[in-house]
Amino acid sequence: MKAAHTPADERRAVRRAWLVLVCALLAAVCAVVLAPVAFSALSTGGAVATGTEAERAARQAERFGVPSPDLVLAVSPHTGADRAAAQHATEAVVRALDGRDDVQAAWSARTTKNTWLRSKDGRTLLVLVRLKGTDKERKEAAPRVVTAARAAASAAGVEPSGATWANREIDESVERDLRRAELLAAPVLFAVLVLAYGSVVSALLPVVVAALTIGCAVPVLGLLARSFDLSRVAVSAASAIGFGLAVDYSLFLLARVREESARGADLHTALAAARRSSGRSVAFSAAAVTVCLATALAVPVPMLRALALAGMTVAVLAALVALTVLPACLRVLGPRAQAFDPLARWRRTRIGEGSRFWRRTATTVTARPLLAGGLALLFLALLAVPFTHARLGIVDERTLPASASSAAAAQRVRAEFAAPPERILTVVTTGPGAVAGAPAHGERLARIPGITAVRVASTSPSSPEGEGAVLLAATSAAPDTRAAQTAVRQVRDTSAPGSVLVGGRAAEVTDTAHRVLDALPTCLLLLGAGLMLLLSAFTRTLVAPLKALAVAAVSLGAILGALVVLFQDGRGAALLGGFTATGTLDASMLLFVLFIALALSVDYEVFLLGRIREEFDRGGGNRTSIVEGIARTGRLLTSAAAAVAISTAAMATSQVALLKFIGIGVALGALVDAVLVRGVLVPAVMAALGPLNWWSPTCTGPRPGIVAADKRGGADPDASGST
């Protein structure tokens, strides 16, 4: 028999709690000190897949003297100047940049005889700049280079655009907008926590856990950035997700402590019960989130891998802090942790009791599971229909508002130039006959529909790379359209004198979409196997995990269908503050939202199944266990989903479309899953399955009385909806 908890044991427990809090405080101080160093280690990340033909073509073209530009500078004279002034200004910019240590090459229409770099009216000329160093070093050098260009052409305007300039502006906008979103979300989230916890003091504890989680995550991610390509955007987005997870984990632990306390247990007993039940669920939930995001590492897109690594880090830290710091705070605070409930007089039930609303809902759903489940499934299926015409792309400057400098400059280049740099395909041929056959190859390319012009940019009869030629083919279609992808395929299929590689923006979009789709089967296989193992270990059954994965797939389809309507089709632009609908969804962001939504689905499934299984193991019938589990967790799940939705939906206030996409996608996933899926579809499916929910190969048969209890007249005595 276990010995009683003595006052001496209590004093030792309080001393250990203080030690944990002191260590947490030291960790917070170290995190603050190391944060600037950590942020300096972060890079820009990339939305383009690695190891593609487009990437190889860019490297090969650079070896033959045709590098791809990092900056596109549109140089135009001030009002009243003639075309000669634009030419003189462009020459001055090229001379000023050629001698810089951070510039690899700068070229214009005059230096390359490339008329594509001159606008249709001849008054604006482009200077293309290739910078030195890594992505991060090029991003840091870009403002200095633009400043030097403007100083050299003081009599003309210089408008920068290009991938490096856009990435820099996106990073700055993301950081600024996320800070504003956090300030907007904080008071709303605190009100939800007070409503959920029934105590102002208890409502502050999840905020402490979340702040410590995010604070400690930054140095860890800075250390990982030494070996992996981690971007600021990924860290910022994952931080918002981690904040929601930390609040979720704290919510379930605190609610279980309150429930046990309401039953008359002392603090020691309540904490022990919370660790055994909710603590186990938190650990499995963090493991499930980690498994979901780890599978994304199989996709060769730097931005997605950065998002996955950052998300895995914050998920593990959220669980660790919640399971250590939160119990220590409760131990030190004692009864003061439940002090001051401003809504006490309006509460119909005490904190810790089951929800009357969710008890009635679960009773109604389980009474007619086929009808309720069928209606929920039909609604989710209708939401999923638009996903059938989803198209993958990659993020560019159009994710910024049209007023942003890089977006405005890029739009001007598209409008004023016959062959904007983003619409040019780089065709590299190598091998014997590549130089001699370049003109004839160019003529064949020019006959392809959608190719407006072809020029030979470079020929190398002899070089360390062998004989080779670089041709540039201008397309009439934007790089993320089906027409451009068709042109890329036809250019690659055209016979060439030697081996051929095709690059350019359209090729990058095409190759990234293909690499993502090719990696998906591997991701899904790893994902299914990992989650099956975790959920089987958690529930000790095989049927419940299969049901969980099937329901999660239905939920994800609905969320992705909604995202296609809102962002790809652009029907959410007016509602979400305006953005440029590109007709595609960024591949890395779409997969990140998918994996996070799946992780949240499994997160809520773990808590719900854990509670239903607990009631089942106590001797309740299948339907009784479902109703009681829903009643005990329904309010908590909706509160947890609301916390995640608030912390992520605030991102929709950003001017950056990719932040809106992540925020709305995760918020929709959390709310739809917690309310419709967990509240209706899951209990309906479990009620229809009956005792089969708990079958496993090691079962010798159902427990005595369970089948009989479920067959009696439909309703169990304790599932009648009373409180």
Side-chain angles (χ1 to χ4, degrees), residues 522-584:
T522 301
C523 286
L524 295 177
L525 181 62
L526 294 173
L527 190 63
L531 291 180
M532 272 297 297
L533 287 174
L534 275 174
L535 291 174
S536 296
F538 181 75
T539 62
R540 305 189 299 280
T541 72
L542 291 180
V543 177
L546 289 172
K547 181 268 303 175
L549 293 180
V551 170
V554 173
S555 177
L556 289 181
I559 302 309
L560 296 176
L563 291 176
V564 168
V565 172
L566 292 174
F567 290 93
Q568 178 178 303
D569 300 341
R571 296 179 184 175
L575 179 65
L576 300 175
F579 57 84
T580 301
T582 63
T584 62

Short mmCIF file of all heavy atoms in Angstrom, two decimals, residues 522-584:
data_model
loop_
_atom_site.label_atom_id
_atom_site.label_comp_id
_atom_site.label_asym_id
_atom_site.label_seq_id
_atom_site.Cartn_x
_atom_site.Cartn_y
_atom_site.Cartn_z
N THR A 522 6.36 9.07 -50.31
CA THR A 522 7.27 8.72 -49.21
C THR A 522 6.84 9.38 -47.92
O THR A 522 6.84 8.75 -46.85
CB THR A 522 8.70 9.14 -49.57
OG1 THR A 522 9.10 8.50 -50.77
CG2 THR A 522 9.67 8.77 -48.45
N CYS A 523 6.46 10.65 -48.01
CA CYS A 523 6.01 11.38 -46.81
C CYS A 523 4.79 10.70 -46.20
O CYS A 523 4.73 10.49 -44.98
CB CYS A 523 5.66 12.83 -47.16
SG CYS A 523 7.08 13.87 -47.45
N LEU A 524 3.82 10.38 -47.04
CA LEU A 524 2.58 9.79 -46.54
C LEU A 524 2.82 8.41 -45.94
O LEU A 524 2.20 8.04 -44.93
CB LEU A 524 1.55 9.72 -47.66
CG LEU A 524 1.08 11.08 -48.21
CD1 LEU A 524 0.10 10.89 -49.37
CD2 LEU A 524 0.44 11.92 -47.12
N LEU A 525 3.71 7.64 -46.56
CA LEU A 525 4.02 6.31 -46.02
C LEU A 525 4.67 6.43 -44.64
O LEU A 525 4.28 5.74 -43.69
CB LEU A 525 4.94 5.57 -46.98
CG LEU A 525 5.35 4.15 -46.56
CD1 LEU A 525 4.12 3.25 -46.47
CD2 LEU A 525 6.36 3.58 -47.56
N LEU A 526 5.67 7.31 -44.53
CA LEU A 526 6.32 7.51 -43.24
C LEU A 526 5.35 8.07 -42.21
O LEU A 526 5.36 7.66 -41.04
CB LEU A 526 7.52 8.45 -43.40
CG LEU A 526 8.69 7.93 -44.25
CD1 LEU A 526 9.71 9.04 -44.45
CD2 LEU A 526 9.34 6.74 -43.57
N LEU A 527 4.52 8.98 -42.67
CA LEU A 527 3.55 9.61 -41.77
C LEU A 527 2.56 8.58 -41.23
O LEU A 527 2.31 8.50 -40.03
CB LEU A 527 2.81 10.71 -42.53
CG LEU A 527 1.92 11.65 -41.73
CD1 LEU A 527 2.73 12.44 -40.74
CD2 LEU A 527 1.19 12.59 -42.67
N GLY A 528 1.99 7.79 -42.12
CA GLY A 528 1.02 6.80 -41.69
C GLY A 528 1.63 5.77 -40.75
O GLY A 528 1.03 5.42 -39.72
N ALA A 529 2.83 5.30 -41.08
CA ALA A 529 3.48 4.30 -40.22
C ALA A 529 3.80 4.87 -38.85
O ALA A 529 3.55 4.23 -37.82
CB ALA A 529 4.75 3.79 -40.90
N GLY A 530 4.35 6.09 -38.83
CA GLY A 530 4.72 6.69 -37.55
C GLY A 530 3.52 6.95 -36.66
O GLY A 530 3.54 6.65 -35.45
N LEU A 531 2.46 7.51 -37.25
CA LEU A 531 1.27 7.81 -36.44
C LEU A 531 0.55 6.54 -36.00
O LEU A 531 0.00 6.49 -34.90
CB LEU A 531 0.32 8.72 -37.24
CG LEU A 531 0.83 10.15 -37.47
CD1 LEU A 531 -0.19 10.94 -38.27
CD2 LEU A 531 1.13 10.85 -36.16
N MET A 532 0.54 5.53 -36.85
CA MET A 532 -0.08 4.26 -36.45
C MET A 532 0.63 3.67 -35.23
O MET A 532 -0.01 3.19 -34.28
CB MET A 532 -0.05 3.27 -37.60
CG MET A 532 -1.24 3.36 -38.54
SD MET A 532 -2.82 2.98 -37.74
CE MET A 532 -2.57 1.27 -37.27
N LEU A 533 1.96 3.69 -35.25
CA LEU A 533 2.71 3.15 -34.11
C LEU A 533 2.44 3.95 -32.84
O LEU A 533 2.21 3.38 -31.77
CB LEU A 533 4.21 3.18 -34.44
CG LEU A 533 4.70 2.14 -35.46
CD1 LEU A 533 6.17 2.38 -35.79
CD2 LEU A 533 4.49 0.74 -34.93
N LEU A 534 2.44 5.28 -32.97
CA LEU A 534 2.22 6.13 -31.79
C LEU A 534 0.81 5.94 -31.24
O LEU A 534 0.63 5.74 -30.03
CB LEU A 534 2.45 7.59 -32.15
CG LEU A 534 3.88 8.12 -32.08
CD1 LEU A 534 3.94 9.54 -32.59
CD2 LEU A 534 4.41 8.05 -30.66
N LEU A 535 -0.18 6.04 -32.11
CA LEU A 535 -1.56 5.95 -31.63
C LEU A 535 -1.90 4.54 -31.14
O LEU A 535 -2.70 4.38 -30.21
CB LEU A 535 -2.52 6.37 -32.75
CG LEU A 535 -2.48 7.86 -33.11
CD1 LEU A 535 -3.37 8.14 -34.31
CD2 LEU A 535 -2.89 8.73 -31.94
N SER A 536 -1.31 3.52 -31.75
CA SER A 536 -1.54 2.16 -31.27
C SER A 536 -0.97 1.98 -29.87
O SER A 536 -1.59 1.35 -29.01
CB SER A 536 -0.92 1.14 -32.23
OG SER A 536 -1.54 1.19 -33.49
N ALA A 537 0.22 2.54 -29.65
CA ALA A 537 0.82 2.46 -28.32
C ALA A 537 0.00 3.25 -27.31
O ALA A 537 -0.13 2.86 -26.14
CB ALA A 537 2.26 2.98 -28.36
N PHE A 538 -0.57 4.37 -27.76
CA PHE A 538 -1.33 5.22 -26.83
C PHE A 538 -2.68 4.60 -26.47
O PHE A 538 -3.09 4.61 -25.31
CB PHE A 538 -1.54 6.59 -27.46
CG PHE A 538 -2.28 7.56 -26.58
CD1 PHE A 538 -1.66 8.15 -25.50
CD2 PHE A 538 -3.61 7.87 -26.84
CE1 PHE A 538 -2.35 9.05 -24.69
CE2 PHE A 538 -4.31 8.75 -26.04
CZ PHE A 538 -3.67 9.35 -24.96
N THR A 539 -3.39 4.07 -27.48
CA THR A 539 -4.74 3.56 -27.24
C THR A 539 -4.78 2.06 -26.96
O THR A 539 -5.81 1.55 -26.53
CB THR A 539 -5.65 3.85 -28.45
OG1 THR A 539 -5.12 3.17 -29.60
CG2 THR A 539 -5.71 5.34 -28.75
N ARG A 540 -3.68 1.37 -27.25
CA ARG A 540 -3.60 -0.09 -27.08
C ARG A 540 -4.63 -0.81 -27.96
O ARG A 540 -5.15 -1.86 -27.60
CB ARG A 540 -3.77 -0.48 -25.60
CG ARG A 540 -2.79 0.22 -24.68
CD ARG A 540 -2.83 -0.35 -23.27
NE ARG A 540 -4.12 -0.23 -22.62
CZ ARG A 540 -4.57 0.88 -22.04
NH1 ARG A 540 -3.81 1.97 -22.05
NH2 ARG A 540 -5.75 0.92 -21.45
N THR A 541 -4.94 -0.21 -29.11
CA THR A 541 -5.83 -0.84 -30.08
C THR A 541 -5.28 -0.57 -31.49
O THR A 541 -4.36 0.23 -31.67
CB THR A 541 -7.26 -0.26 -30.01
OG1 THR A 541 -7.26 1.06 -30.55
CG2 THR A 541 -7.78 -0.24 -28.59
N LEU A 542 -5.87 -1.23 -32.48
CA LEU A 542 -5.51 -0.98 -33.87
C LEU A 542 -6.59 -0.23 -34.63
O LEU A 542 -6.31 0.51 -35.57
CB LEU A 542 -5.23 -2.31 -34.59
CG LEU A 542 -3.96 -3.06 -34.16
CD1 LEU A 542 -3.83 -4.34 -34.95
CD2 LEU A 542 -2.73 -2.20 -34.34
N VAL A 543 -7.84 -0.41 -34.22
CA VAL A 543 -8.95 0.20 -34.95
C VAL A 543 -8.98 1.72 -34.72
O VAL A 543 -9.18 2.49 -35.66
CB VAL A 543 -10.29 -0.43 -34.53
CG1 VAL A 543 -11.46 0.27 -35.22
CG2 VAL A 543 -10.30 -1.91 -34.86
N ALA A 544 -8.80 2.16 -33.48
CA ALA A 544 -8.86 3.59 -33.17
C ALA A 544 -7.83 4.40 -33.96
O ALA A 544 -8.16 5.47 -34.50
CB ALA A 544 -8.70 3.81 -31.67
N PRO A 545 -6.57 3.95 -34.09
CA PRO A 545 -5.63 4.71 -34.92
C PRO A 545 -6.03 4.78 -36.39
O PRO A 545 -5.87 5.83 -37.02
CB PRO A 545 -4.31 3.93 -34.73
CG PRO A 545 -4.45 3.25 -33.43
CD PRO A 545 -5.90 2.89 -33.33
N LEU A 546 -6.55 3.67 -36.92
CA LEU A 546 -6.99 3.70 -38.32
C LEU A 546 -8.14 4.69 -38.50
O LEU A 546 -8.18 5.44 -39.48
CB LEU A 546 -7.43 2.30 -38.75
CG LEU A 546 -6.32 1.26 -38.92
CD1 LEU A 546 -6.91 -0.12 -39.16
CD2 LEU A 546 -5.40 1.65 -40.08
N LYS A 547 -9.06 4.68 -37.55
CA LYS A 547 -10.17 5.64 -37.60
C LYS A 547 -9.65 7.06 -37.49
O LYS A 547 -10.12 7.97 -38.20
CB LYS A 547 -11.15 5.33 -36.46
CG LYS A 547 -12.36 6.23 -36.38
CD LYS A 547 -12.15 7.43 -35.47
CE LYS A 547 -11.77 6.99 -34.06
NZ LYS A 547 -11.45 8.16 -33.21
N ALA A 548 -8.66 7.28 -36.62
CA ALA A 548 -8.10 8.63 -36.43
C ALA A 548 -7.47 9.15 -37.72
O ALA A 548 -7.66 10.31 -38.09
CB ALA A 548 -7.07 8.62 -35.31
N LEU A 549 -6.72 8.30 -38.42
CA LEU A 549 -6.08 8.73 -39.66
C LEU A 549 -7.11 9.00 -40.76
O LEU A 549 -6.97 9.96 -41.53
CB LEU A 549 -5.09 7.66 -40.12
CG LEU A 549 -3.86 7.46 -39.22
CD1 LEU A 549 -2.96 6.37 -39.79
CD2 LEU A 549 -3.09 8.75 -39.07
N ALA A 550 -8.15 8.16 -40.83
CA ALA A 550 -9.19 8.36 -41.85
C ALA A 550 -9.94 9.67 -41.61
O ALA A 550 -10.18 10.45 -42.54
CB ALA A 550 -10.16 7.18 -41.84
N VAL A 551 -10.30 9.92 -40.37
CA VAL A 551 -11.01 11.16 -40.03
C VAL A 551 -10.11 12.37 -40.27
O VAL A 551 -10.56 13.41 -40.77
CB VAL A 551 -11.49 11.11 -38.57
CG1 VAL A 551 -12.00 12.46 -38.13
CG2 VAL A 551 -12.59 10.06 -38.42
N ALA A 552 -8.81 12.25 -39.94
CA ALA A 552 -7.88 13.36 -40.16
C ALA A 552 -7.76 13.68 -41.64
O ALA A 552 -7.68 14.85 -42.04
CB ALA A 552 -6.51 13.02 -39.58
N ALA A 553 -7.76 12.65 -42.50
CA ALA A 553 -7.67 12.88 -43.94
C ALA A 553 -8.89 13.66 -44.44
O ALA A 553 -8.76 14.57 -45.27
CB ALA A 553 -7.55 11.54 -44.67
N VAL A 554 -10.07 13.31 -43.95
CA VAL A 554 -11.29 14.04 -44.34
C VAL A 554 -11.20 15.49 -43.89
O VAL A 554 -11.54 16.42 -44.64
CB VAL A 554 -12.53 13.35 -43.73
CG1 VAL A 554 -13.78 14.19 -44.00
CG2 VAL A 554 -12.70 11.96 -44.31
N SER A 555 -10.73 15.70 -42.67
CA SER A 555 -10.60 17.06 -42.14
C SER A 555 -9.61 17.88 -42.96
O SER A 555 -9.86 19.04 -43.29
CB SER A 555 -10.16 16.99 -40.67
OG SER A 555 -9.96 18.28 -40.15
N LEU A 556 -8.48 17.27 -43.32
CA LEU A 556 -7.47 17.98 -44.10
C LEU A 556 -8.00 18.36 -45.47
O LEU A 556 -7.71 19.45 -45.98
CB LEU A 556 -6.21 17.13 -44.24
CG LEU A 556 -5.37 16.92 -42.98
CD1 LEU A 556 -4.15 16.08 -43.30
CD2 LEU A 556 -4.95 18.25 -42.40
N GLY A 557 -8.74 17.46 -46.10
CA GLY A 557 -9.31 17.78 -47.40
C GLY A 557 -10.20 19.01 -47.35
O GLY A 557 -10.15 19.86 -48.25
N ALA A 558 -10.99 19.12 -46.29
CA ALA A 558 -11.87 20.29 -46.15
C ALA A 558 -11.06 21.57 -45.99
O ALA A 558 -11.38 22.60 -46.60
CB ALA A 558 -12.79 20.09 -44.95
N ILE A 559 -10.01 21.52 -45.20
CA ILE A 559 -9.18 22.71 -44.97
C ILE A 559 -8.48 23.13 -46.26
O ILE A 559 -8.45 24.31 -46.62
CB ILE A 559 -8.15 22.44 -43.87
CG1 ILE A 559 -8.85 22.04 -42.57
CG2 ILE A 559 -7.28 23.67 -43.64
CD1 ILE A 559 -9.93 22.97 -42.13
N LEU A 560 -7.92 22.16 -46.97
CA LEU A 560 -7.20 22.49 -48.20
C LEU A 560 -8.15 23.02 -49.27
O LEU A 560 -7.79 23.92 -50.03
CB LEU A 560 -6.47 21.25 -48.70
CG LEU A 560 -5.36 20.73 -47.77
CD1 LEU A 560 -4.76 19.46 -48.31
CD2 LEU A 560 -4.29 21.79 -47.57
N GLY A 561 -9.36 22.48 -49.32
CA GLY A 561 -10.34 23.01 -50.26
C GLY A 561 -10.68 24.46 -49.96
O GLY A 561 -10.80 25.29 -50.87
N ALA A 562 -10.82 24.78 -48.68
CA ALA A 562 -11.11 26.17 -48.29
C ALA A 562 -9.95 27.08 -48.66
O ALA A 562 -10.16 28.22 -49.11
CB ALA A 562 -11.39 26.23 -46.79
N LEU A 563 -8.71 26.60 -48.51
CA LEU A 563 -7.55 27.43 -48.85
C LEU A 563 -7.47 27.70 -50.35
O LEU A 563 -7.05 28.79 -50.77
CB LEU A 563 -6.27 26.74 -48.37
CG LEU A 563 -6.08 26.69 -46.85
CD1 LEU A 563 -4.83 25.89 -46.50
CD2 LEU A 563 -5.99 28.09 -46.26
N VAL A 564 -7.86 26.73 -51.16
CA VAL A 564 -7.87 26.95 -52.61
C VAL A 564 -8.84 28.07 -52.96
O VAL A 564 -8.53 28.97 -53.75
CB VAL A 564 -8.25 25.65 -53.34
CG1 VAL A 564 -8.55 25.93 -54.81
CG2 VAL A 564 -7.13 24.64 -53.23
N VAL A 565 -10.02 28.04 -52.38
CA VAL A 565 -11.02 29.08 -52.66
C VAL A 565 -10.54 30.44 -52.18
O VAL A 565 -10.64 31.44 -52.90
CB VAL A 565 -12.37 28.71 -51.99
CG1 VAL A 565 -13.36 29.86 -52.12
CG2 VAL A 565 -12.94 27.46 -52.62
N LEU A 566 -10.00 30.49 -50.97
CA LEU A 566 -9.63 31.77 -50.38
C LEU A 566 -8.40 32.38 -51.02
O LEU A 566 -8.37 33.59 -51.30
CB LEU A 566 -9.39 31.59 -48.88
CG LEU A 566 -10.62 31.27 -48.01
CD1 LEU A 566 -10.20 30.98 -46.58
CD2 LEU A 566 -11.62 32.41 -48.05
N PHE A 567 -7.36 31.56 -51.29
CA PHE A 567 -6.08 32.12 -51.70
C PHE A 567 -5.74 31.87 -53.16
O PHE A 567 -5.31 32.79 -53.86
CB PHE A 567 -4.97 31.56 -50.79
CG PHE A 567 -5.04 32.08 -49.39
CD1 PHE A 567 -5.72 31.39 -48.41
CD2 PHE A 567 -4.44 33.29 -49.05
CE1 PHE A 567 -5.81 31.88 -47.11
CE2 PHE A 567 -4.52 33.79 -47.77
CZ PHE A 567 -5.20 33.09 -46.79
N GLN A 568 -5.91 30.65 -53.66
CA GLN A 568 -5.59 30.41 -55.07
C GLN A 568 -6.58 31.14 -55.97
O GLN A 568 -6.18 31.82 -56.91
CB GLN A 568 -5.61 28.92 -55.37
CG GLN A 568 -5.33 28.60 -56.84
CD GLN A 568 -5.31 27.11 -57.11
OE1 GLN A 568 -4.55 26.36 -56.50
NE2 GLN A 568 -6.15 26.64 -58.03
N ASP A 569 -7.87 30.99 -55.66
CA ASP A 569 -8.89 31.67 -56.47
C ASP A 569 -9.06 33.14 -56.08
O ASP A 569 -9.70 33.89 -56.81
CB ASP A 569 -10.23 30.95 -56.33
CG ASP A 569 -10.17 29.50 -56.80
OD1 ASP A 569 -9.22 29.17 -57.54
OD2 ASP A 569 -11.05 28.71 -56.42
N GLY A 570 -8.52 33.53 -54.92
CA GLY A 570 -8.54 34.93 -54.51
C GLY A 570 -9.85 35.43 -53.96
O GLY A 570 -10.04 36.64 -53.79
N ARG A 571 -10.78 34.52 -53.60
CA ARG A 571 -12.09 34.98 -53.12
C ARG A 571 -12.05 35.46 -51.68
O ARG A 571 -13.04 36.02 -51.19
CB ARG A 571 -13.11 33.84 -53.26
CG ARG A 571 -13.35 33.46 -54.72
CD ARG A 571 -14.34 32.32 -54.86
NE ARG A 571 -14.46 31.92 -56.26
CZ ARG A 571 -15.17 30.89 -56.69
NH1 ARG A 571 -15.84 30.14 -55.81
NH2 ARG A 571 -15.22 30.57 -57.97
N GLY A 572 -10.92 35.25 -51.01
CA GLY A 572 -10.80 35.75 -49.64
C GLY A 572 -10.05 37.06 -49.55
O GLY A 572 -9.79 37.55 -48.45
N ALA A 573 -9.68 37.65 -50.70
CA ALA A 573 -8.86 38.86 -50.68
C ALA A 573 -9.56 40.01 -49.96
O ALA A 573 -8.97 40.68 -49.11
CB ALA A 573 -8.49 39.26 -52.11
N ALA A 574 -10.81 40.26 -50.30
CA ALA A 574 -11.53 41.37 -49.67
C ALA A 574 -11.74 41.11 -48.18
O ALA A 574 -11.61 42.03 -47.36
CB ALA A 574 -12.88 41.57 -50.36
N LEU A 575 -12.02 39.88 -47.82
CA LEU A 575 -12.27 39.53 -46.42
C LEU A 575 -11.01 39.63 -45.58
O LEU A 575 -11.06 40.02 -44.41
CB LEU A 575 -12.85 38.11 -46.34
CG LEU A 575 -13.14 37.56 -44.95
CD1 LEU A 575 -14.24 38.37 -44.27
CD2 LEU A 575 -13.53 36.09 -45.03
N LEU A 576 -9.85 39.31 -46.17
CA LEU A 576 -8.60 39.22 -45.42
C LEU A 576 -7.69 40.43 -45.62
O LEU A 576 -6.49 40.34 -45.39
CB LEU A 576 -7.85 37.94 -45.82
CG LEU A 576 -8.61 36.64 -45.55
CD1 LEU A 576 -7.85 35.45 -46.10
CD2 LEU A 576 -8.86 36.47 -44.06
N GLY A 577 -8.25 41.53 -46.04
CA GLY A 577 -7.45 42.75 -46.11
C GLY A 577 -6.72 42.96 -47.41
O GLY A 577 -5.91 43.89 -47.53
N GLY A 578 -6.96 42.14 -48.42
CA GLY A 578 -6.37 42.34 -49.73
C GLY A 578 -5.03 41.65 -49.90
O GLY A 578 -4.17 41.72 -49.02
N PHE A 579 -4.86 40.96 -51.01
CA PHE A 579 -3.58 40.37 -51.40
C PHE A 579 -3.68 40.02 -52.88
O PHE A 579 -4.76 40.06 -53.47
CB PHE A 579 -3.25 39.12 -50.57
CG PHE A 579 -4.30 38.03 -50.63
CD1 PHE A 579 -4.32 37.10 -51.67
CD2 PHE A 579 -5.27 37.93 -49.65
CE1 PHE A 579 -5.28 36.11 -51.73
CE2 PHE A 579 -6.24 36.94 -49.70
CZ PHE A 579 -6.25 36.03 -50.75
N THR A 580 -2.53 39.70 -53.48
CA THR A 580 -2.50 39.36 -54.90
C THR A 580 -2.68 37.86 -55.06
O THR A 580 -1.86 37.07 -54.58
CB THR A 580 -1.16 39.78 -55.53
OG1 THR A 580 -0.98 41.19 -55.37
CG2 THR A 580 -1.13 39.43 -57.01
N ALA A 581 -3.78 37.47 -55.71
CA ALA A 581 -4.02 36.06 -55.98
C ALA A 581 -3.23 35.66 -57.22
O ALA A 581 -3.41 36.21 -58.30
CB ALA A 581 -5.51 35.80 -56.20
N THR A 582 -2.30 34.71 -57.05
CA THR A 582 -1.42 34.31 -58.15
C THR A 582 -1.95 33.15 -58.96
O THR A 582 -1.38 32.79 -59.98
CB THR A 582 -0.04 33.92 -57.58
OG1 THR A 582 -0.20 32.79 -56.72
CG2 THR A 582 0.56 35.08 -56.78
N GLY A 583 -3.04 32.52 -58.50
CA GLY A 583 -3.55 31.35 -59.20
C GLY A 583 -2.87 30.06 -58.82
O GLY A 583 -3.16 29.00 -59.38
N THR A 584 -1.93 30.14 -57.84
CA THR A 584 -1.25 28.95 -57.34
C THR A 584 -1.14 29.04 -55.83
O THR A 584 -1.36 30.10 -55.23
CB THR A 584 0.17 28.81 -57.94
OG1 THR A 584 0.96 29.95 -57.53
CG2 THR A 584 0.13 28.72 -59.44
#
